Amino acid sequence: KRTLQRDLKEIRNVFGIDILDYNTNRTLILLTILALLDGEVVDKKDFNILCSDSLRLKANNVFPRNPRGKFNFIVGNPPYVKFQDLTNEMRAFLSTGWYSINQGTFNLFYAFFELGYNLLTSNGRLGYITPNNYFTSLAGQSLREFFKSKKCLYKIVDFNHKKVFDAQTYTAISFLGKEEAHNILYDRIRESLSPSSFLNNLAFSSISLDGQMSQKWRLLKSDEQNNIKTIETIGSPLNKLFDIRVGIATLKDDLYFI
């Protein structure tokens, strides 16, 4: 059974920022109920929950109980907002000073990955639920380059095309750390599995982060990697057997230029 002292300590070590007052109020209510269940009466000063825009804040100026502004663990479900749906003022703000969104269009959650990474302690860990299209989308190239340069992305749980939440997007859980990682532990849900069964039976494959191209990531399970390696290395390449020249394509099956 948890002691009253531990409950109060846990509450004082929870720090949170959300732009919606509904979310912050709900969090305060839940933490208060948690304390009351064990007979602990909490005061407003015991909470570190703030209603604000975290992208515009400096964390070390926000929480007196954590003056360094660094955290051992960060979890979140940052907002997914396409470039086209951002205000001109927000676009201008995000287009300067953020390495992860320094090319063309972007999604708002890219900046939250960078913010979270910057707020981690030297051995801290971060886990975010976000859309998984940042693996391959053109807009996600700067975020992929950020992950490669920092070598901070060490694990991905990919729900592929299986909808886990009541939202029009496909998601993954991405894990970051301050310690350098040269490989990503990766698992992708199979069509036959429910999300809960998948999470209870994770089987990670190791993928080289250094070997991923910034233009598009090829995230594959071990058996898929082996199959592709076999296909690419078996036999002799066609250009070793024949003298192949590039012609002019007309896009008409019955018409050719020589």
Side-chain angles (χ1 to χ4, degrees), residues 145-163:
E145 291 176 352
F146 173 79
F147 287 149
K148 287 193 65 175
S149 67
K150 298 298 184 182
K151 294 179 172 56
C152 59
L153 180 64
Y154 69 92
K155 186 187 295 183
I156 296 174
V157 177
D158 184 9
F159 294 103
N160 201 20
H161 298 303
K162 182 94 62 172
K163 289 189 176 180

PDB file of all heavy atoms in Angstrom, residues 145-163:
ATOM      1  N   GLU A 145      15.939  14.401 -40.151  1.00  0.00           N
ATOM      2  CA  GLU A 145      17.327  14.863 -40.051  1.00  0.00           C
ATOM      3  C   GLU A 145      17.679  15.255 -38.620  1.00  0.00           C
ATOM      4  O   GLU A 145      18.813  15.041 -38.168  1.00  0.00           O
ATOM      5  CB  GLU A 145      17.541  16.041 -40.999  1.00  0.00           C
ATOM      6  CG  GLU A 145      17.497  15.639 -42.472  1.00  0.00           C
ATOM      7  CD  GLU A 145      17.610  16.830 -43.408  1.00  0.00           C
ATOM      8  OE1 GLU A 145      17.573  17.989 -42.903  1.00  0.00           O
ATOM      9  OE2 GLU A 145      17.716  16.614 -44.624  1.00  0.00           O
ATOM     10  N   PHE A 146      16.710  15.804 -37.901  1.00  0.00           N
ATOM     11  CA  PHE A 146      16.927  16.138 -36.486  1.00  0.00           C
ATOM     12  C   PHE A 146      17.215  14.874 -35.678  1.00  0.00           C
ATOM     13  O   PHE A 146      18.166  14.831 -34.885  1.00  0.00           O
ATOM     14  CB  PHE A 146      15.701  16.865 -35.926  1.00  0.00           C
ATOM     15  CG  PHE A 146      15.743  17.106 -34.444  1.00  0.00           C
ATOM     16  CD1 PHE A 146      16.499  18.140 -33.918  1.00  0.00           C
ATOM     17  CD2 PHE A 146      15.035  16.287 -33.578  1.00  0.00           C
ATOM     18  CE1 PHE A 146      16.550  18.366 -32.549  1.00  0.00           C
ATOM     19  CE2 PHE A 146      15.076  16.508 -32.205  1.00  0.00           C
ATOM     20  CZ  PHE A 146      15.836  17.542 -31.691  1.00  0.00           C
ATOM     21  N   PHE A 147      16.400  13.833 -35.887  1.00  0.00           N
ATOM     22  CA  PHE A 147      16.596  12.578 -35.166  1.00  0.00           C
ATOM     23  C   PHE A 147      17.970  11.974 -35.488  1.00  0.00           C
ATOM     24  O   PHE A 147      18.659  11.450 -34.602  1.00  0.00           O
ATOM     25  CB  PHE A 147      15.500  11.576 -35.517  1.00  0.00           C
ATOM     26  CG  PHE A 147      14.161  11.895 -34.909  1.00  0.00           C
ATOM     27  CD1 PHE A 147      12.981  11.550 -35.558  1.00  0.00           C
ATOM     28  CD2 PHE A 147      14.065  12.529 -33.684  1.00  0.00           C
ATOM     29  CE1 PHE A 147      11.745  11.842 -35.000  1.00  0.00           C
ATOM     30  CE2 PHE A 147      12.838  12.818 -33.113  1.00  0.00           C
ATOM     31  CZ  PHE A 147      11.676  12.472 -33.776  1.00  0.00           C
ATOM     32  N   LYS A 148      18.376  12.036 -36.758  1.00  0.00           N
ATOM     33  CA  LYS A 148      19.670  11.455 -37.137  1.00  0.00           C
ATOM     34  C   LYS A 148      20.833  12.251 -36.564  1.00  0.00           C
ATOM     35  O   LYS A 148      21.826  11.677 -36.115  1.00  0.00           O
ATOM     36  CB  LYS A 148      19.779  11.390 -38.665  1.00  0.00           C
ATOM     37  CG  LYS A 148      18.927  10.313 -39.321  1.00  0.00           C
ATOM     38  CD  LYS A 148      19.318  10.089 -40.769  1.00  0.00           C
ATOM     39  CE  LYS A 148      20.721   9.531 -40.881  1.00  0.00           C
ATOM     40  NZ  LYS A 148      21.082   9.186 -42.272  1.00  0.00           N
ATOM     41  N   SER A 149      20.711  13.566 -36.581  1.00  0.00           N
ATOM     42  CA  SER A 149      21.821  14.393 -36.083  1.00  0.00           C
ATOM     43  C   SER A 149      21.994  14.249 -34.574  1.00  0.00           C
ATOM     44  O   SER A 149      23.119  14.244 -34.077  1.00  0.00           O
ATOM     45  CB  SER A 149      21.585  15.858 -36.453  1.00  0.00           C
ATOM     46  OG  SER A 149      20.471  16.394 -35.753  1.00  0.00           O
ATOM     47  N   LYS A 150      20.894  14.125 -33.854  1.00  0.00           N
ATOM     48  CA  LYS A 150      20.959  13.987 -32.392  1.00  0.00           C
ATOM     49  C   LYS A 150      21.144  12.532 -31.958  1.00  0.00           C
ATOM     50  O   LYS A 150      21.499  12.280 -30.811  1.00  0.00           O
ATOM     51  CB  LYS A 150      19.678  14.538 -31.761  1.00  0.00           C
ATOM     52  CG  LYS A 150      19.437  16.019 -32.012  1.00  0.00           C
ATOM     53  CD  LYS A 150      20.523  16.877 -31.415  1.00  0.00           C
ATOM     54  CE  LYS A 150      20.228  18.358 -31.596  1.00  0.00           C
ATOM     55  NZ  LYS A 150      21.308  19.209 -31.060  1.00  0.00           N
ATOM     56  N   LYS A 151      20.850  11.591 -32.885  1.00  0.00           N
ATOM     57  CA  LYS A 151      20.915  10.161 -32.563  1.00  0.00           C
ATOM     58  C   LYS A 151      20.123   9.863 -31.284  1.00  0.00           C
ATOM     59  O   LYS A 151      20.598   9.168 -30.375  1.00  0.00           O
ATOM     60  CB  LYS A 151      22.364   9.699 -32.422  1.00  0.00           C
ATOM     61  CG  LYS A 151      23.155   9.753 -33.722  1.00  0.00           C
ATOM     62  CD  LYS A 151      24.586   9.301 -33.528  1.00  0.00           C
ATOM     63  CE  LYS A 151      25.303   9.161 -34.858  1.00  0.00           C
ATOM     64  NZ  LYS A 151      25.277  10.382 -35.680  1.00  0.00           N
ATOM     65  N   CYS A 152      18.921  10.395 -31.245  1.00  0.00           N
ATOM     66  CA  CYS A 152      18.128  10.333 -30.018  1.00  0.00           C
ATOM     67  C   CYS A 152      16.938   9.382 -30.097  1.00  0.00           C
ATOM     68  O   CYS A 152      16.382   9.004 -29.066  1.00  0.00           O
ATOM     69  CB  CYS A 152      17.624  11.739 -29.661  1.00  0.00           C
ATOM     70  SG  CYS A 152      16.614  12.514 -30.940  1.00  0.00           S
ATOM     71  N   LEU A 153      16.523   8.978 -31.285  1.00  0.00           N
ATOM     72  CA  LEU A 153      15.356   8.109 -31.445  1.00  0.00           C
ATOM     73  C   LEU A 153      15.806   6.659 -31.312  1.00  0.00           C
ATOM     74  O   LEU A 153      16.581   6.163 -32.127  1.00  0.00           O
ATOM     75  CB  LEU A 153      14.719   8.348 -32.811  1.00  0.00           C
ATOM     76  CG  LEU A 153      13.470   7.520 -33.153  1.00  0.00           C
ATOM     77  CD1 LEU A 153      12.327   7.845 -32.214  1.00  0.00           C
ATOM     78  CD2 LEU A 153      13.065   7.759 -34.601  1.00  0.00           C
ATOM     79  N   TYR A 154      15.325   5.963 -30.279  1.00  0.00           N
ATOM     80  CA  TYR A 154      15.827   4.615 -30.042  1.00  0.00           C
ATOM     81  C   TYR A 154      14.757   3.528 -30.098  1.00  0.00           C
ATOM     82  O   TYR A 154      15.090   2.340 -30.111  1.00  0.00           O
ATOM     83  CB  TYR A 154      16.562   4.538 -28.696  1.00  0.00           C
ATOM     84  CG  TYR A 154      15.681   4.688 -27.476  1.00  0.00           C
ATOM     85  CD1 TYR A 154      15.128   3.571 -26.849  1.00  0.00           C
ATOM     86  CD2 TYR A 154      15.409   5.939 -26.928  1.00  0.00           C
ATOM     87  CE1 TYR A 154      14.334   3.694 -25.719  1.00  0.00           C
ATOM     88  CE2 TYR A 154      14.626   6.075 -25.803  1.00  0.00           C
ATOM     89  CZ  TYR A 154      14.086   4.950 -25.207  1.00  0.00           C
ATOM     90  OH  TYR A 154      13.283   5.085 -24.088  1.00  0.00           O
ATOM     91  N   LYS A 155      13.469   3.889 -30.155  1.00  0.00           N
ATOM     92  CA  LYS A 155      12.436   2.861 -30.200  1.00  0.00           C
ATOM     93  C   LYS A 155      11.172   3.411 -30.849  1.00  0.00           C
ATOM     94  O   LYS A 155      10.794   4.562 -30.610  1.00  0.00           O
ATOM     95  CB  LYS A 155      12.116   2.350 -28.792  1.00  0.00           C
ATOM     96  CG  LYS A 155      11.138   1.170 -28.740  1.00  0.00           C
ATOM     97  CD  LYS A 155      10.742   0.841 -27.306  1.00  0.00           C
ATOM     98  CE  LYS A 155      11.902   0.354 -26.490  1.00  0.00           C
ATOM     99  NZ  LYS A 155      11.488  -0.029 -25.109  1.00  0.00           N
ATOM    100  N   ILE A 156      10.509   2.564 -31.677  1.00  0.00           N
ATOM    101  CA  ILE A 156       9.241   2.933 -32.299  1.00  0.00           C
ATOM    102  C   ILE A 156       8.279   1.755 -32.203  1.00  0.00           C
ATOM    103  O   ILE A 156       8.624   0.629 -32.584  1.00  0.00           O
ATOM    104  CB  ILE A 156       9.416   3.322 -33.779  1.00  0.00           C
ATOM    105  CG1 ILE A 156      10.274   4.577 -33.925  1.00  0.00           C
ATOM    106  CG2 ILE A 156       8.067   3.538 -34.443  1.00  0.00           C
ATOM    107  CD1 ILE A 156      10.594   4.935 -35.364  1.00  0.00           C
ATOM    108  N   VAL A 157       7.087   2.016 -31.701  1.00  0.00           N
ATOM    109  CA  VAL A 157       5.992   1.052 -31.716  1.00  0.00           C
ATOM    110  C   VAL A 157       4.984   1.568 -32.739  1.00  0.00           C
ATOM    111  O   VAL A 157       4.301   2.565 -32.499  1.00  0.00           O
ATOM    112  CB  VAL A 157       5.348   0.911 -30.321  1.00  0.00           C
ATOM    113  CG1 VAL A 157       4.165  -0.045 -30.371  1.00  0.00           C
ATOM    114  CG2 VAL A 157       6.380   0.423 -29.309  1.00  0.00           C
ATOM    115  N   ASP A 158       4.905   0.907 -33.876  1.00  0.00           N
ATOM    116  CA  ASP A 158       4.161   1.416 -35.033  1.00  0.00           C
ATOM    117  C   ASP A 158       2.818   0.690 -35.167  1.00  0.00           C
ATOM    118  O   ASP A 158       2.785  -0.535 -35.344  1.00  0.00           O
ATOM    119  CB  ASP A 158       5.005   1.214 -36.294  1.00  0.00           C
ATOM    120  CG  ASP A 158       4.359   1.792 -37.540  1.00  0.00           C
ATOM    121  OD1 ASP A 158       3.339   2.491 -37.416  1.00  0.00           O
ATOM    122  OD2 ASP A 158       4.891   1.542 -38.644  1.00  0.00           O
ATOM    123  N   PHE A 159       1.727   1.460 -35.114  1.00  0.00           N
ATOM    124  CA  PHE A 159       0.397   0.878 -35.293  1.00  0.00           C
ATOM    125  C   PHE A 159      -0.023   0.829 -36.758  1.00  0.00           C
ATOM    126  O   PHE A 159      -1.164   0.448 -37.058  1.00  0.00           O
ATOM    127  CB  PHE A 159      -0.634   1.656 -34.465  1.00  0.00           C
ATOM    128  CG  PHE A 159      -0.427   1.538 -32.987  1.00  0.00           C
ATOM    129  CD1 PHE A 159       0.152   2.569 -32.267  1.00  0.00           C
ATOM    130  CD2 PHE A 159      -0.770   0.379 -32.312  1.00  0.00           C
ATOM    131  CE1 PHE A 159       0.360   2.459 -30.899  1.00  0.00           C
ATOM    132  CE2 PHE A 159      -0.574   0.255 -30.949  1.00  0.00           C
ATOM    133  CZ  PHE A 159      -0.003   1.294 -30.238  1.00  0.00           C
ATOM    134  N   ASN A 160       0.889   1.228 -37.649  1.00  0.00           N
ATOM    135  CA  ASN A 160       0.692   1.104 -39.089  1.00  0.00           C
ATOM    136  C   ASN A 160      -0.650   1.704 -39.515  1.00  0.00           C
ATOM    137  O   ASN A 160      -0.935   2.858 -39.223  1.00  0.00           O
ATOM    138  CB  ASN A 160       0.815  -0.362 -39.497  1.00  0.00           C
ATOM    139  CG  ASN A 160       1.119  -0.545 -40.967  1.00  0.00           C
ATOM    140  OD1 ASN A 160       1.588   0.373 -41.627  1.00  0.00           O
ATOM    141  ND2 ASN A 160       0.876  -1.718 -41.494  1.00  0.00           N
ATOM    142  N   HIS A 161      -1.503   0.921 -40.198  1.00  0.00           N
ATOM    143  CA  HIS A 161      -2.796   1.429 -40.658  1.00  0.00           C
ATOM    144  C   HIS A 161      -3.953   1.025 -39.733  1.00  0.00           C
ATOM    145  O   HIS A 161      -5.121   1.115 -40.124  1.00  0.00           O
ATOM    146  CB  HIS A 161      -3.088   0.931 -42.074  1.00  0.00           C
ATOM    147  CG  HIS A 161      -2.096   1.413 -43.082  1.00  0.00           C
ATOM    148  ND1 HIS A 161      -1.850   2.757 -43.292  1.00  0.00           N
ATOM    149  CD2 HIS A 161      -1.265   0.747 -43.912  1.00  0.00           C
ATOM    150  CE1 HIS A 161      -0.925   2.896 -44.223  1.00  0.00           C
ATOM    151  NE2 HIS A 161      -0.550   1.687 -44.607  1.00  0.00           N
ATOM    152  N   LYS A 162      -3.626   0.586 -38.540  1.00  0.00           N
ATOM    153  CA  LYS A 162      -4.653   0.217 -37.560  1.00  0.00           C
ATOM    154  C   LYS A 162      -4.960   1.444 -36.697  1.00  0.00           C
ATOM    155  O   LYS A 162      -4.074   1.988 -36.047  1.00  0.00           O
ATOM    156  CB  LYS A 162      -4.162  -0.929 -36.690  1.00  0.00           C
ATOM    157  CG  LYS A 162      -5.157  -1.432 -35.675  1.00  0.00           C
ATOM    158  CD  LYS A 162      -5.970  -2.601 -36.164  1.00  0.00           C
ATOM    159  CE  LYS A 162      -5.158  -3.814 -36.491  1.00  0.00           C
ATOM    160  NZ  LYS A 162      -5.980  -5.001 -36.779  1.00  0.00           N
ATOM    161  N   LYS A 163      -6.203   1.864 -36.683  1.00  0.00           N
ATOM    162  CA  LYS A 163      -6.584   3.040 -35.888  1.00  0.00           C
ATOM    163  C   LYS A 163      -6.743   2.658 -34.424  1.00  0.00           C
ATOM    164  O   LYS A 163      -7.549   1.815 -34.069  1.00  0.00           O
ATOM    165  CB  LYS A 163      -7.871   3.653 -36.429  1.00  0.00           C
ATOM    166  CG  LYS A 163      -7.690   4.360 -37.764  1.00  0.00           C
ATOM    167  CD  LYS A 163      -8.918   5.130 -38.161  1.00  0.00           C
ATOM    168  CE  LYS A 163      -8.676   5.900 -39.454  1.00  0.00           C
ATOM    169  NZ  LYS A 163      -9.865   6.676 -39.866  1.00  0.00           N
TER     170      LYS A 163
END
